[in-house]
Amino acid sequence: MGIKIALAGNPNSGKTTMFNSLTGSSQYVGNWPGVTVEKKEGKLKGQKDVGIIDLPGIYSLSPYTLEEVVTRNYLITEKPDAIINIVDSTNIERNLYLTTQLLEIGIPMVIALNMTDVLKKNGDTIDIHKLSKYIGCDIIETSALKGEGCKEAAEKAVELAKKNKKMIPPQMFSQGVEKVLSSIAELIKNVVEQNTLRWFAIKLFERDQKVMEQVNLSQDQKDQIEALIVQLEEELDDDSESIITNERYNYISGIVNKCVHKKNTSKMSTS
Ligand code: BGO
């Protein structure tokens, strides 16, 4: 069996441009089963045994849009061998919101830090080495428009897939939240795969209905999880989903402050 690599990223991050650069003319377009969301597949140029699948452009892995649900169901149930996460380097803070969630699913992943031609033109810099260390993921600089770095990103994805590289998602939440996530993980460790444990723990903490239906839990386990969530919600005076969203943004913001240097912060963005 060949290797399957999925392209994931925000809308307008350059996914289509990257997909075209990687697959050339070997593309076929259809729909995801049961929904009118476009599904594009192709073969990596020069490597017939490597399939590339373009996932819908999304901002989050929440259950609120068709595109989000298609993407996360594919990642959880079909399990591609690796992900290339296309990140728009000129809009990194918003893009990393999805990146951190993709890492939680536990599939080997490389970041294609795209639009670096624009970044350089603007005179901005990103400390790739530091960023890679903070988020625990390899990063390749790309300009999909110029075809630069795309091949290297795909080669890295193939390498990670072959090694079945274990991803370690960063612990980005406050102590109280991390403690509850560990307790939930402990409760569900026998019903979900080890690699996906953090994803399921976070989604159950958020009371994600779709995920709750997917995980086979006894009523007693569900009650224990609910009690843990309610206790922390009372302590922090916020609902669990907002707690996760806010702490995720805070974490990303901290990283961006340390790794991104804008030449002119006062200049208005033209995009
Ligand atoms: C237009 N560098 C630069 N400079 N641009 C890039 C890069 C890159 O690395 N990668 C992609 N783009 P999509 P999604 C456009 O279409 O691949 C550009 O949604 C235009 N079109 O060319 O479509 C890419 O699939 C008119 O730009 O993204 C595209 O993820 C004027 O980013 C856009 C200017 O890429 C989105 C740009 C008629």
Side-chain angles (χ1 to χ4, degrees):
M1 224 178 72
I3 290 174
K4 255 189 312 189
I5 293 173
L7 302 186
N10 286 15
N12 284 320
S13 58
K15 245 158 31 62
T16 308
T17 314
M18 173 84 65
F19 180 76
N20 291 340
S21 165
L22 294 179
T23 59
S25 54
S26 73
Q27 302 183 4
Y28 37 105
V29 181
N31 272 351
W32 291 88
V35 290
T36 52
V37 176
E38 195 179 73
K39 181 178 190 182
K40 278 193 297 193
E41 291 177 273
K43 298 277 177 208
L44 182 59
K45 270 189 214 162
Q47 294 200 44
K48 286 205 165 31
D49 60 335
V50 179
I52 308 279
I53 180 145
D54 190 20
L55 298 174
I58 49 168
Y59 295 107
S60 163
L61 289 177
S62 58
Y64 302 124
T65 69
L66 258 183
E67 286 78 6
E68 289 168 347
V69 174
V70 162
T71 299
R72 60 187 226 171
N73 282 351
Y74 176 80
L75 294 175
I76 293 290
T77 57
E78 306 276 321
K79 292 192 194 74
D81 301 291
I83 298 171
I84 300 177
N85 171 214
I86 292 113
V87 164
D88 176 356
S89 59
T90 66
N91 215 332
I92 194 159
E93 195 148 344
R94 188 173 67 182
N95 279 245
L96 288 180
Y97 188 70
L98 175 66
T99 301
T100 54
Q101 296 177 64
L102 289 169
L103 285 168
E104 282 151 12
I105 294 187
I107 293 170
M109 183 165 108
V110 58
I111 290 173
L113 190 66
N114 197 35
M115 312 260 184
T116 50
D117 56 311
V118 184
L119 188 85
K120 281 175 192 146
K121 218 171 105 194
N122 292 346
D124 301 337
T125 53
I126 297 178
D127 187 332
I128 311 284
H129 185 68
K130 236 191 210 171
L131 182 61
S132 166
K133 250 175 88 179
Y134 278 126
I135 54 178
C137 183
D138 288 304
I139 300 175
I140 308 280
E141 289 180 80
T142 64
S143 167
L145 187 69
K146 297 183 174 179
E148 290 169 7
C150 303
K151 193 164 162 260
E152 289 78 1
E155 280 167 0
K156 179 53 89 176
V158 170
E159 178 197 322
L160 298 178
K162 283 183 177 160
K163 277 202 273 189
N164 195 14
K165 166 97 189 280
K166 190 169 163 44
M167 304 303 287
I168 302 168
Q171 298 229 334
M172 64 185 72
F173 305 113
S174 60
Q175 245 183 3
V177 174
E178 288 293 350
K179 212 171 137 220
V180 172
L181 291 176
S182 301
S183 305
I184 296 176
E186 186 61 31
L187 279 166
I188 62 170
K189 68 176 186 207
N190 294 327
V191 288
V192 306
E193 259 180 56
Q194 177 65 31
N195 286 351
T196 56
L197 199 51
R198 191 161 171 89
W199 158 261
F200 279 105
I202 294 170
K203 288 291 136 191
L204 291 175
F205 179 73
E206 290 178 318
R207 295 195 188 85
D208 184 310
Q209 290 300 324
K210 288 198 164 64
V211 168
M212 282 163 104
E213 285 159 20
Q214 282 161 4
V215 184
N216 195 8
L217 294 172
S218 68
Q219 192 56 46
D220 182 49
Q221 286 171 315
K222 286 181 192 165
D223 292 345
Q224 285 186 55
I225 291 173
E226 181 60 21
L228 287 164
I229 300 170
V230 169
Q231 198 189 356
L232 192 68
E233 284 180 327
E234 280 169 8
E235 231 171 82
L236 300 179
D237 193 25
D238 204 353
D239 69 278
S240 64
E241 200 179 348
S242 307
I243 293 170
I244 292 290
T245 303
N246 292 337
E247 293 197 4
R248 197 186 287 284
Y249 268 124
N250 286 343
Y251 175 81
I252 291 167
S253 176
I255 289 184
V256 168
N257 280 340
K258 288 187 194 115
C259 301
V260 180
H261 302 284
K262 295 246 179 211
K263 187 182 171 199
N264 188 353
T265 42
S266 60
K267 205 169 102 185
M268 292 274 285
S269 164
T270 49
S271 64

